Amino acid sequence: MALKACPQLRVVPPAHGRYSEVSADVFAIFRSFTPVVEGLSLDEAFLDVAGLRLHHESPVAVGEAIRVVIRAELGLPASVGVASTKFLAKLASEAAKPDGLSHIPTIGQLDFLHALPATALPGVGPATLAGLSRLGVETIGDIADLPRPTLVGALGQAMGRQLSDLAAGIDPRRVEPDIEAKSISVEETYDNDLEGTDLVEAALLVHAHRLSSRLRRSGLAGRTVTLKVRYPDFETLTRSRTIDGAVDGWRDLFRIGTELLGELRLAQPVRLLGLGASSLESASQPRQLGIDSSADWDRVEDAVSGVRDRFGESAITPARLLEDRG
DNA sequence: TCTGGGGTCCTAGGACCC
DNA sequence: TCTGGGGTCCTAGGACCC
């Protein structure tokens, strides 16, 4: 639609593979400074630099050094926030964007914090902001003035406590390297809504293959399989099933997904279809064998994964998905 | 600020167990 | 079969984040 309205538009497709490569390079630079690196996303991480006193003058000097190395080796801008807690460091890095460093000194950090709008707190989105507004809150300072039970009453136990702590500058969370993934999922929003069981099941089969590949590459298997469906009116439903033995093969994922699809009783065409695995376990752990599982099929799945690793996701595809293409 | 993909965490209710 | 407390696990949906 945008191209129709604006024919000279330049459309730049995303290059997720490239982003992952660059991300790995950036994280390697982080780890050359300290092993205590907690990744938040492809382009963001917490680094605990408390152990670097012998090598660097100050945490700010570490931050500057990291920026210099990223610029020199990768040609990329980077923003660094330096502070005494994760939360404040994150706020500082926001202030440093797009290509700078900012430091929140421990002395005076509360004054800085209390002047900020409540939306600067992590976890405060539109819904929570609405709840806070009803209490007359505008700034983080307003939250700090509120009794804890009031916050808990309005926002629930977890959110109430968290905001109460953060507003007081309390954030004892440590930088945790090696956090393991808790779920892996694939989903797609279709250009044209999927109508009819055949189309939806074909899409589910594609998802089962993609999910299986990602699980196997990570060496993980899931005990819970979740199906996600979004209708054209944006209503979004999920159905999940937890089983005794974790699965990572596309046949199991497809079978369970199909069962969940049946339970959903589709009422409209499908705008988005998703399939995910959670309650993840290491795939090398002893696992329950399904009634119909056989060593032959395991070998087939291993071979399929191998072909995909070498030649790409589209190198091998179920015949069922080729039927309409002549 | 009209909706892509991949995640995390929380809540509430129900099943089940001791 | 009922009563009570406490705990875990599962499911579905929602808020939020990058």
Side-chain angles (χ1 to χ4, degrees), chain A residues 289-307:
Chain A
L289 290 176
I291 289 170
D292 68 342
S293 64
S294 73
D296 284 348
W297 270 111
D298 281 349
R299 289 177 55 212
V300 169
E301 300 216 4
D302 283 342
V304 168
S305 296
V307 169

Side-chain angles (χ1 to χ4, degrees), chain A residues 34-319:
Chain A
T34 171
V36 192
V37 175
E38 175 184 336
L40 267 177
S41 65
L42 226 46
D43 71 344
E44 217 173 5
F46 288 116
L47 279 69
D48 186 338
V49 299
L52 269 51
R53 290 196 189 88
L54 292 179
H55 299 283
H56 296 268
E57 201 174 292
S58 65
V60 169
V62 178
E64 284 296 1
I66 291 173
R67 276 166 42 75
V68 166
V69 175
I70 290 177
R71 169 68 74 180
E73 292 190 5
L74 304 175
L76 290 172
S79 299
V80 173
V82 179
S84 60
T85 67
K86 278 181 164 181
F87 163 49
L88 291 170
K90 173 110 170 126
L91 284 182
S93 80
E94 302 285 334
K97 280 175 187 172
D99 185 14
L101 180 145
S102 81
H103 174 217
I104 302 176
T106 308
I107 296 169
Q109 69 184 16
L110 275 186
D111 291 337
F112 169 85
L113 187 59
H114 287 173
L116 295 171
T119 47
L121 290 164
V124 177
T128 307
L129 183 63
L132 288 171
S133 298
R134 280 192 287 275
L135 299 174
V137 166
E138 284 177 18
T139 66
I140 295 179
D142 294 336
I143 295 177
D145 289 339
L146 241 35
R148 216 175 151 86
T150 306
L151 279 170
V152 169
L155 305 175
Q157 191 77 247
M159 185 68 77
R161 286 183 183 177
Q162 203 204 171
L163 296 191
S164 169
D165 281 349
L166 291 180
I170 300 169
D171 179 14
R173 296 173 301 161
R174 305 193 64 82
V175 178
E176 313 248 20
D178 311 321
I179 292 183
E180 292 185 358
K182 297 191 167 56
S183 68
I184 294 179
S185 65
V186 297
E187 65 183 57
E188 184 170 350
T189 301
Y190 299 97
D191 291 341
N192 302 300
D193 298 338
L194 304 177
E195 195 138 21
T197 312
D198 284 359
L199 275 183
V200 177
E201 284 193 0
L204 183 59
L205 185 55
V206 173
H207 279 4
H209 275 84
R210 289 176 54 203
L211 182 56
S212 175
S213 292
R214 288 188 51 202
L215 285 167
R216 288 185 165 234
R217 220 171 293 141
S218 313
L220 295 169
R223 278 184 53 238
T224 302
V225 177
T226 302
L227 180 78
K228 176 175 173 181
V229 165
R230 176 126 74 211
Y231 290 139
D233 65 5
F234 228 71
E235 185 189 2
T236 307
L237 306 172
T238 61
R239 289 294 179 271
S240 65
R241 170 155 309 148
T242 299
I243 51 200
D244 284 344
V247 294
D248 65 356
W250 60 265
R251 291 167 63 251
D252 286 322
L253 294 168
F254 179 62
R255 176 177 48 77
I256 297 166
T258 308
E259 289 169 14
L260 293 168
L261 195 57
E263 291 168 20
L264 209 55
R265 316 248 349 119
L266 286 181
Q268 297 179 50
V270 172
R271 175 198 177 99
L272 172 151
L273 187 72
L275 189 66
S278 52
S279 306
L280 299 177
E281 301 173 354
S282 164
S284 58
Q285 272 179 8
R287 269 184 287 150
Q288 178 74 42
L289 290 176
I291 289 170
D292 68 342
S293 64
S294 73
D296 284 348
W297 270 111
D298 281 349
R299 289 177 55 212
V300 169
E301 300 216 4
D302 283 342
V304 168
S305 296
V307 169
R308 289 211 172 101
D309 285 346
R310 277 186 69 182
F311 302 111
E313 289 300 317
S314 57
I316 188 163
T317 297

